[in-house]
């Protein structure tokens, strides 16, 4: 039998696709997430089937009758003649074997995966990271493997995805923080030691002037009235560099306090809404370990104003 149909091949392929799926999810690329998550489930399902019996990979509907002999190692076939069961049927067989439970969310993820191969699916797959986590967990349990043997550095993030003790907001934010941290680490893995530390020390958030417009992320869901808010730097909860937060004052002359957007240029962590920023554990810029570099935006067509450093005369 071809090595590509071996347990080891299916398992490694599933592992690679699953890792890519989590990375895609962290970047907000939900079409790519759906594709890779679907591939991960399909290949891990086939790894379970072939481990039980290679004949369980046979495709019946349009299959080659010689596949049974081929999968059992008694006949050679050209690779273009080899066809195995698809994702839906592989899942159906594992449900019959009581390895997987019926779950419309898993069926939907596979449907989204199939649709994503032909057209954009928007954000339909965004909420399906727990679906991937739950069903890979069931398949790994049948194989007698710990999740760490499959997920590696993503193990804790996957654990968070299925932790029902946390609120939905807490799970989403913690996963995004872990995703951003790993993506930041990946940027420097082939660079000289110490490069990441130098970047963290030297980095300053880039806040452009408000001419054609400040970056759109700062303008989403602005409060009613004038475009009045502050931007300030804080310690990023993912990479520990400098992130920028948007602060909204309750009144025009009050001290800004409510943080409702956070973005980090270094690791691309992006949180929106007061609940998400609060769940990240981000401290107020006025409580941060670094002095905040306040930038005030106000009125119609304002410009960014960077607070001056204190002088000996002031």
């Amino acid at each position: 039998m071809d090595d590509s149909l071996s347990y080891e091949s299916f398992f490694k392929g599933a592992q690679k696709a699953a890792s890519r799926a989590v990375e895609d999810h962290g970047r907000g690329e939900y079409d790519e997430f759906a594709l890779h998550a679907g591939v991960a489930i399909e290949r891990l399902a086939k790894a379970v089937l072939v481990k039980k019996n290679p004949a369980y990979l046979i495709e019946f509907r349009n299959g080659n009758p010689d596949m049974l002999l081929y999968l059992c190692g008694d006949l050679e076939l050209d690779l273009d003649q080899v066809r195995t069961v698809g994702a839906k049927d592989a899942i159906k067989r594992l449900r019959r074997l009581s390895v997987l439970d019926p779950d419309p969310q898993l069926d939907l993820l596979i449907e989204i995966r199939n649709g994503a191969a032909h057209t954009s699916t928007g954000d339909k797959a965004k909420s399906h990271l727990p679906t991937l986590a739950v069903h890979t967990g069931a398949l790994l349990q049948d194989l007698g493997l710990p999740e760490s043997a499959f997920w590696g550095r993503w193990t804790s993030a996957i654990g968070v995805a299925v932790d029902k003790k946390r609120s939905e907001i807490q799970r989403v934010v913690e996963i995004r923080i872990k995703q951003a941290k790993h993506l930041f680490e990946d940027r420097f893995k082939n660079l000289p030691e110490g490069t990441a530390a130098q970047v963290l020390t030297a980095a300053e958030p880039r806040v452009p002037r408000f001419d054609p417009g400040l970056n759109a992320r700062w303008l989403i869901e602005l409060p009613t009235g004038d475009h009045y808010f502050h931007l300030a730097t804080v310690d990023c909860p993912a990479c520990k560099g400098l992130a920028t937060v948007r602060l909204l004052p309750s009144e025009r002359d009050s001290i800004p306090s409510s943080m409702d957007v956070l973005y980090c240029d270094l690791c691309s962590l992006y949180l929106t809404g007061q609940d998400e920023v609060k769940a990240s554990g981000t401290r107020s810029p006025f409580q941060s370990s670094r002095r905040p570099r306040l930038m005030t935006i106000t009125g119609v067509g304002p410009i960014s104003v960077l607070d001056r450093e204190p002088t000996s005369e002031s």
Side-chain angles (χ1 to χ4, degrees):
M1 186 173 70
D2 178 26
D3 286 343
S4 67
L5 300 182
S6 68
Y7 163 77
E8 291 77 13
S9 178
F10 282 128
F11 187 86
K12 288 179 181 178
Q15 203 172 27
K16 184 176 180 180
S19 179
R20 287 184 176 179
V22 182
E23 291 171 2
D24 294 333
H25 195 280
R27 290 191 291 264
E29 296 174 358
Y30 300 118
D31 282 349
E32 294 297 316
F33 164 73
L35 284 169
H36 288 128
V39 169
I41 290 287
E42 179 177 353
R43 290 182 179 172
L44 193 55
K46 289 182 177 181
V48 173
L49 288 173
V50 78
K51 188 86 168 179
K52 292 181 179 298
N53 191 325
Y56 289 168
L57 294 178
I58 291 175
E59 167 62 68
F60 288 116
R61 285 177 295 181
N62 301 304
N64 183 337
D66 289 334
M67 277 295 294
L68 176 60
L69 301 177
Y70 173 74
L71 290 171
C72 291
D74 295 317
L75 182 69
E76 292 295 324
L77 287 178
D78 293 334
L79 290 181
D80 59 0
Q81 296 178 285
V82 176
R83 295 288 185 275
T84 60
V85 65
K88 289 183 179 180
D89 285 336
I91 290 169
K92 188 182 297 184
R93 290 176 190 181
L94 289 169
R95 285 173 177 166
R96 290 285 291 165
L97 293 169
S98 299
V99 175
L100 292 176
D101 293 327
D103 182 3
Q105 292 303 307
L106 176 57
D107 298 333
L108 179 58
L109 176 59
I110 298 302
E111 290 290 344
I112 294 172
R113 170 261 180 117
N114 293 339
H118 306 290
T119 183
S120 174
T121 60
D123 289 353
K124 289 181 181 179
K126 182 178 181 179
S127 63
H128 283 281
L129 186 58
T131 306
L132 174 63
V134 166
H135 292 287
T136 53
L139 294 169
L140 291 168
Q141 184 176 8
D142 189 77
L143 291 171
L145 294 174
E147 297 204 347
S148 58
F150 181 77
W151 285 107
R153 69 176 186 172
W154 293 111
T155 303
S156 61
I158 292 302
V160 170
V162 296
D163 185 356
K164 297 191 181 300
K165 293 180 181 179
R166 292 176 169 89
S167 69
E168 179 65 21
I169 288 288
Q170 289 174 324
R171 289 200 300 270
V172 167
V173 169
E174 191 165 344
I175 289 168
R176 283 193 203 160
I177 289 172
K178 291 179 184 295
Q179 290 167 328
K181 179 182 178 182
H182 290 320
L183 294 174
F184 174 77
E185 292 169 349
D186 287 347
R187 293 177 60 186
F188 300 95
K189 63 183 178 182
N190 295 320
L191 297 177
E193 185 178 352
T195 302
Q198 292 176 14
V199 170
L200 289 173
T201 301
E204 284 281 354
R206 297 187 296 276
V207 182
R209 288 182 175 273
F210 196 95
D211 344 278
L214 202 63
N215 190 302
R217 71 173 60 91
W218 304 116
L219 303 178
I220 61 168
E221 300 178 4
L222 279 171
T224 57
D226 291 338
H227 296 176
Y228 180 62
F229 56 91
H230 290 71
L231 298 181
T233 55
V234 295
D235 295 322
C236 175
C239 70
K240 308 308 178 186
L242 280 175
T244 304
V245 289
R246 185 174 79 173
L247 300 101
L248 301 175
S250 55
E251 298 176 1
R252 176 173 289 278
D253 297 324
S254 68
I255 296 174
S257 57
S258 301
M259 299 182 291
D260 72 334
V261 180
L262 180 148
Y263 180 73
C264 179
D265 272 320
L266 295 173
C267 66
S268 298
L269 177 65
Y270 184 34
L271 304 175
T272 58
Q274 293 184 48
D275 288 343
E276 288 193 359
V277 179
K278 183 178 180 180
S280 73
T282 300
R283 302 173 67 189
S284 162
F286 306 105
Q287 299 174 325
S288 174
S289 62
R290 314 178 200 218
R291 180 179 180 274
R293 307 277 294 178
L294 287 178
M295 293 157 277
T296 304
I297 311 297
T298 183
V300 179
I303 61 172
S304 304
V305 179
L306 184 64
D307 274 5
R308 293 184 301 173
E309 296 284 354
T311 63
S312 58
E313 300 177 357
S314 58

